[in-house]
Amino acid sequence: MFIKCDITGLNVDRRVVPLIKANAIVSVVALLIGVVAALLLVLTRWQVVHLLPMDWYYRILTLHGLTALVVWIVFWEMAGLYFGSTVALNARQVAPGLGWLAFVLMVVGTALVAYAVLFTQRADVLFTSYAPIKAHPIYYLGIILFAVGALTVAGLFFANILTAKKEKTYGDGPLPVFTFGLLAAAIITAGTLLSGAVIYIPTFLWSLGLIDSVDSLVYKMIFWGFGHSSQQINVTAMIAVWYLVAFLTVGGTTINEKVTRFAFLFYLIGIMLASAHHLLTDPVRSASWKVFNTSYFMYIAVLASMIHAFAVPSAIESAQRRRGFTKGLFDWLKNAPWGNPAFSAVFLGILNFGFIGGITGVINGMEQTNIIVHNTLAIPGHFKGTVVGGTTLTFMGLTYYLIPLIFRKKIRFFGLAKVQPWLFGIGIALLAVGFSTLGYLGVPRRHWDITFSGGPFTFTFPPVIDLFWVIVVLGGLIGVIGALAWILIVVASVFFGEPLRSKEDMQIPIADVPPPAEHKGFAAPGTFTLTLIFLTAFLLFTALNWGWLSVMWEVK
Amino acid sequence: MEDKKPFLERFLDNPIGLLIMSLGIFAISYFIWGIIIVLSTPPLPEAFKISILGGE
Amino acid sequence: MALNVPAKGWYATKVAKDEKSWIVISVIAALALFIWMSAWHLFGKQNPPVSVYTTTPDEFYRLAQANWQKYKVGEEEGIPVVAPPPGGDVFLLASTWRWEPVIKLKKDQEYKIHISSLDIVHGFSLQPVNMNFQIYPHYDYVFTFKPTSSGDFRIICNEYCGYGHHSMIGKIIVEE
């Protein structure tokens, strides 16, 4: 059942490797569809081209939302859950047959959704499918099957780690921090998918005519219990991967296990209930409910993010300092392995996620400043920063290790690989900032024509939007090229790459763990400086937003 | 015999405990509280409706 | 190590000075955000309303018609122009794909604007002020608005409501 990996020394259950590979490969196919859709969409929103006609715009937008936000990421995460609960722990895979059943359910579910959207053309409902807008029943059925599959894999993750603990495959301490982070992600997955069952099953029955009607406000509240939690799976998994990549690239680990684990605990307490931030400007009769929930339980989960914002870079910094890069504040960063695309992807991912995604996110999620941004392009601007510039880029980065370690292939086009994270990271940053600015200027999201042709009145946005549309298109094109480059590298390596024979063949090394060292004073002064800069930027942007809000019309 | 580890150290190593805590807080604070608020939205008061529909 | 378990005694490891400082700063920031958002309800002038009532499309439509008849002052593009008195109620109707009526207000006066949808969910987006809210069928969301600027404003719909979504645009006029 087990073979010993000649590179890492870990015991690998032979039966889990094809499961990891299958899920990873499907995730890349989904990303390809999502990226092509993104290209069509950005060339439509830029009305100089206005590529897609009205119905196809909303159709492709639906497809893009599902393939990029859900299918790509969740299939990749399934591969990660398998890896983190078996290979990382020297443990066996419980019931691999069930894993294959789950895989089939997820693939069939995805196919049904794609069929409903593209062929029945009765599912132009967008990812949110807000009732009373109603899709073809097959659309909902596909999502339900996908969710059942994913929930099964989350269950297998739990089975694996409980079995590994019983069989003492990883010593007698707690789970390694990478797997512990994935555990947090798996718990949030359970919360997500159970909420998904509560919203999608009745809605499916309604689409079949078996239920009379669905209250639209109740729908939206339950939907986002599923919808936002699904994104918090991504955040948590991404952060777990950050710790793993810090270890692989520089031999670094969290400078304090207790602090990092408590941060994950705080996520478990408060991250899912912030789904309320989708209903801040909705007719819910309780400001207390809005404020308590949108604040991630009085900001305990935001505190967790801020803790990781220090813990992850300091893991890198402390390892680098122990390696001898102690000069000044940033010698450690200058001498980091920037030629390793896994490292550059993660570092750019941290910057995108924190500065663009995180700063805009807290503002979007404050009850009153949400008035400024709700349903404008600022919302996509925020989540391009988080899930595209952050999570997707991070997962792309770790994949550069999965190719040699799991697929046992060398990375083809390695020169391109070194540049790829920069293309994608910078492209998406431009796209996100462009969208956010347009949103602050009032431009709506999910809108086919901002000249309002056919309407009784005209309205023109401030002319400066033309500049920001160009920034959006530029960023979008660069990002698409970056994504296609990654897909090309992965496909070429996995299917046509040179086989990897031994550790010497690895183009990106697994770093040695640097010697321990006594450190006086600050453990990570460079990181501390970066986090203070981040905090300053955050407070500035926050102050600006509250200032802008205060000069708007009064409303209560 | 080793001293028993602190509660939180043990709790952090308890996947099922963490699962129950997390889902429980989520269910109560977001769903139950929220659904109660929405489902208890009152109808427009009769007196108000009459004042709108009525004459002067 | 990420792939190895933490060393014995990990739970008792002291927190480094800079990490501890950052955590303290973050806790203060987190509490400050929470208190600010809560306190804005007391001293801030922009808060999402909590006045909500259930209704039906039929009922809301009848109320709207009666209200518009009372305060109608004209018509634009076939849409009634309604000017409620300061302190008064006005009914704004969202439907696929129009906003009715055109509303005429006076600057620095308060009005109770009742907004509901006849069919599906729509997005109330006041431009160029850029204030955005969500409008539902079967719910009357009551906004006590005080326009602080005068001029010619638009209500665009920013919640996807079908293919004609982009043609859904209304108007609010604010006089000095």
Side-chain angles (χ1 to χ4, degrees):
Chain A
M1 183 159 79
F2 283 99
I3 54 170
K4 199 177 178 75
C5 175
D6 58 337
I7 297 176
T8 61
L10 291 165
N11 284 333
V12 178
D13 181 340
R14 274 200 183 86
R15 304 164 307 162
V16 82
V17 176
L19 272 171
I20 296 173
K21 289 182 176 179
N23 281 282
I25 289 172
V26 173
S27 80
V28 176
V29 174
L31 182 66
L32 179 61
I33 299 172
V35 167
V36 170
L39 182 62
L40 299 175
L41 293 172
V42 82
L43 292 176
T44 304
R45 284 305 312 251
W46 190 40
Q47 293 186 224
V48 168
V49 178
H50 217 196
L51 187 61
L52 296 171
M54 172 164 86
D55 55 340
W56 276 98
Y57 168 69
Y58 295 113
R59 195 161 300 144
I60 296 296
L61 191 57
T62 305
L63 188 72
H64 171 73
L66 287 163
T67 52
L69 190 60
V70 180
V71 185
W72 138 249
I73 285 195
V74 175
F75 267 107
W76 197 98
E77 286 164 347
M78 299 294 102
L81 286 183
Y82 283 121
F83 178 84
S85 62
T86 59
V87 178
L89 303 178
N90 296 304
R92 62 184 176 89
Q93 173 62 46
V94 171
L98 211 51
W100 285 109
L101 176 62
F103 176 75
V104 168
L105 281 175
M106 287 173 70
V107 171
V108 169
T110 304
L112 288 179
V113 170
Y115 169 78
V117 171
L118 293 173
F119 293 99
T120 70
Q121 302 188 357
R122 270 181 51 199
D124 301 332
V125 292
L126 309 184
F127 167 64
T128 44
S129 52
Y130 286 145
I133 287 182
K134 191 192 280 191
H136 192 289
I138 289 183
Y139 174 85
Y140 301 110
L141 180 64
I143 293 177
I144 291 169
L145 292 180
F146 183 92
V148 171
L151 192 57
T152 305
V153 178
L156 287 174
F157 176 90
F158 272 91
N160 284 347
I161 63 170
L162 291 170
T163 305
K165 186 174 186 86
K166 204 164 72 147
E167 295 176 1
K168 291 195 180 312
T169 64
Y170 57 92
D172 47 22
L175 289 167
V177 93
F178 166 62
T179 306
F180 184 73
L182 288 186
L183 169 62
I187 289 173
I188 298 171
T189 303
T192 298
L193 295 173
L194 292 171
S195 309
V198 174
I199 192 57
Y200 276 112
I201 294 176
T203 305
F204 171 58
L205 297 175
W206 170 63
S207 75
L208 287 172
L210 296 171
I211 288 184
D212 203 22
S213 67
V214 171
D215 181 283
S216 45
L217 187 54
V218 171
Y219 176 95
K220 192 176 179 200
M221 184 176 277
I222 301 178
F223 176 85
W224 282 112
F226 151 79
H228 200 83
S229 305
S230 71
Q231 299 318 299
Q232 310 297 42
I233 307 171
N234 301 335
V235 172
T236 313
M238 170 187 73
I239 292 175
V241 172
W242 287 351
Y243 284 109
L244 178 61
V245 171
F247 176 67
L248 293 172
T249 56
V250 301
T253 189
T254 173
I255 62 176
N256 195 304
E257 291 271 355
K258 180 164 79 183
V259 169
T260 288
R261 286 163 195 268
F262 265 85
F264 280 118
L265 174 69
F266 292 163
Y267 274 167
L268 293 177
I269 293 173
I271 210 172
M272 288 187 280
L273 42 83
S275 300
H277 63 231
H278 293 273
L279 291 115
L280 295 177
T281 53
D282 287 37
V284 177
R285 266 170 58 251
S286 168
S288 315
W289 178 86
K290 289 180 179 179
V291 168
F292 185 82
N293 284 291
T294 196
S295 67
Y296 290 94
F297 200 118
M298 296 181 288
Y299 289 110
I300 202 173
V302 171
L303 172 63
S305 291
M306 293 178 87
I307 290 175
H308 287 306
F310 186 93
V312 173
S314 63
I316 298 169
E317 179 172 0
S318 95
Q320 288 286 89
R321 284 183 181 276
R322 280 148 49 210
R323 203 171 255 116
F325 299 115
T326 52
K327 231 173 49 166
L329 276 178
F330 295 113
D331 199 38
W332 62 277
L333 191 57
K334 237 177 50 175
N335 288 290
W338 292 102
N340 181 337
F343 180 83
S344 59
V346 160
F347 213 84
L348 290 171
I350 293 172
L351 292 178
N352 268 333
F353 185 83
F355 280 90
I356 300 178
I359 291 178
T360 56
V362 177
I363 297 303
N364 294 355
M366 293 188 90
E367 187 204 358
Q368 297 95 342
T369 44
N370 185 261
I371 292 173
I372 305 173
V373 297
H374 175 66
N375 272 353
T376 67
L377 271 178
I379 302 296
H382 156 74
F383 66 71
K384 299 312 176 196
T386 52
V387 71
V388 189
T391 305
T392 295
L393 182 52
T394 296
F395 290 175
M396 287 174 165
L398 182 59
T399 305
Y400 287 116
Y401 276 104
L402 296 183
I403 293 172
L405 293 176
I406 296 287
F407 287 93
R408 303 288 302 196
K409 290 289 172 74
K410 292 182 73 166
I411 300 167
R412 283 211 71 181
F413 308 121
F414 188 63
L416 177 62
K418 289 199 267 196
V419 175
Q420 181 271 326
W422 294 92
L423 284 173
F424 189 72
I426 292 174
I428 297 302
L430 285 171
L431 176 76
V433 170
F435 270 163
S436 290
T437 311
L438 288 170
Y440 273 85
L441 292 167
V443 178
R445 65 180 296 205
R446 298 171 152 185
H447 200 279
W448 180 72
D449 176 9
I450 61 170
T451 69
F452 311 102
S453 54
F457 309 108
T458 55
F459 178 71
T460 319
F461 289 99
V464 75
I465 66 167
D466 293 339
L467 167 65
F468 285 97
W469 278 118
V470 169
I471 292 175
V472 161
V473 173
L474 205 64
L477 287 175
I478 298 171
V480 164
I481 291 171
L484 292 176
W486 182 81
I487 293 170
L488 171 70
I489 292 165
V490 171
V491 171
S493 306
V494 165
F495 292 106
F496 309 105
E498 253 180 75
L500 191 99
R501 291 156 307 179
S502 68
K503 197 171 189 162
E504 280 68 44
D505 270 358
M506 292 215 21
Q507 297 137 303
I508 52 177
I510 296 180
D512 294 322
V513 178
E518 268 318 301
H519 202 102
K520 288 206 252 305
F522 281 11
T527 299
F528 193 49
T529 310
L530 289 174
T531 50
L532 287 174
I533 293 174
F534 166 75
L535 185 67
T536 308
F538 168 72
L539 290 173
L540 222 68
F541 189 66
T542 303
L544 276 174
N545 273 269
W546 285 92
W548 286 326
L549 178 71
S550 67
V551 298
M552 292 186 173
W553 290 11
E554 297 179 17
V555 66
K556 57 177 188 236
Chain B
M1 178 78 173
E2 239 181 74
D3 274 337
K4 200 161 188 199
K5 292 191 224 157
F7 168 73
L8 278 172
E9 185 179 350
R10 283 179 287 124
F11 187 61
L12 283 173
D13 205 16
N14 183 345
I16 302 297
L18 292 168
L19 174 73
I20 293 171
M21 172 206 73
S22 183
L23 264 44
I25 294 175
F26 180 37
I28 293 169
S29 183
Y30 179 79
F31 285 106
I32 294 176
W33 185 10
I35 298 292
I36 289 175
I37 302 278
V38 171
L39 293 182
S40 62
T41 307
L44 280 166
E46 280 307 316
F48 172 74
K49 284 192 279 188
I50 289 168
S51 75
I52 298 290
L53 292 168
E56 301 321 298
Chain C
M1 316 305 145
L3 287 185
N4 301 327
V5 290
K8 253 184 156 46
W10 63 274
Y11 194 79
T13 309
K14 287 178 72 95
V15 184
K17 251 214 297 250
D18 43 356
E19 184 159 48
K20 191 183 278 184
S21 307
W22 174 250
I23 293 173
V24 170
I25 292 170
S26 301
V27 169
I28 293 172
L31 285 173
L33 287 174
F34 183 71
I35 291 169
W36 181 267
M37 181 167 50
S38 309
W40 191 263
H41 287 97
L42 300 171
F43 61 75
K45 301 239 173 9
Q46 292 82 10
N47 284 285
V50 290
S51 306
V52 189
Y53 302 94
T54 55
T55 179
T56 66
D58 268 343
E59 175 183 87
F60 194 82
Y61 187 66
R62 274 184 290 118
L63 291 166
Q65 294 273 292
N67 173 253
W68 302 345
Q69 201 167 50
K70 200 159 165 192
Y71 298 118
K72 184 168 172 178
V73 294
E75 234 182 55
E76 253 197 72
E77 307 291 325
I79 303 169
V81 180
V82 169
D89 297 86
V90 62
F91 284 71
L92 178 66
L93 193 61
S95 62
T96 343
W97 291 293
R98 59 201 259 147
W99 293 101
E100 283 181 284
V102 171
I103 300 178
K104 200 176 252 191
L105 305 172
K106 279 194 152 31
K107 187 174 140 189
D108 295 325
Q109 297 292 336
E110 233 176 49
Y111 300 89
K112 292 204 279 295
I113 308 186
H114 298 246
I115 318 184
S116 186
S117 164
L118 277 193
D119 40 36
I120 58 178
V121 183
H122 294 278
F124 173 94
S125 179
L126 180 70
Q127 298 299 332
V129 188
N130 200 22
M131 300 179 81
N132 302 279
F133 298 92
Q134 197 88 333
I135 306 304
Y136 286 79
H138 293 273
Y139 290 91
D140 176 8
Y141 200 3
V142 187
F143 296 79
T144 302
F145 257 120
K146 181 194 279 192
T148 50
S149 47
S150 59
D152 204 18
F153 300 88
R154 295 289 178 270
I155 307 166
I156 67 179
C157 177
N158 63 5
E159 181 58 66
Y160 170 64
C161 54
Y163 299 148
H165 171 48
H166 62 278
S167 62
M168 187 167 168
I169 176 168
K171 188 170 178 179
I172 295 183
I173 305 159
V174 179
E175 298 174 323
E176 282 292 338

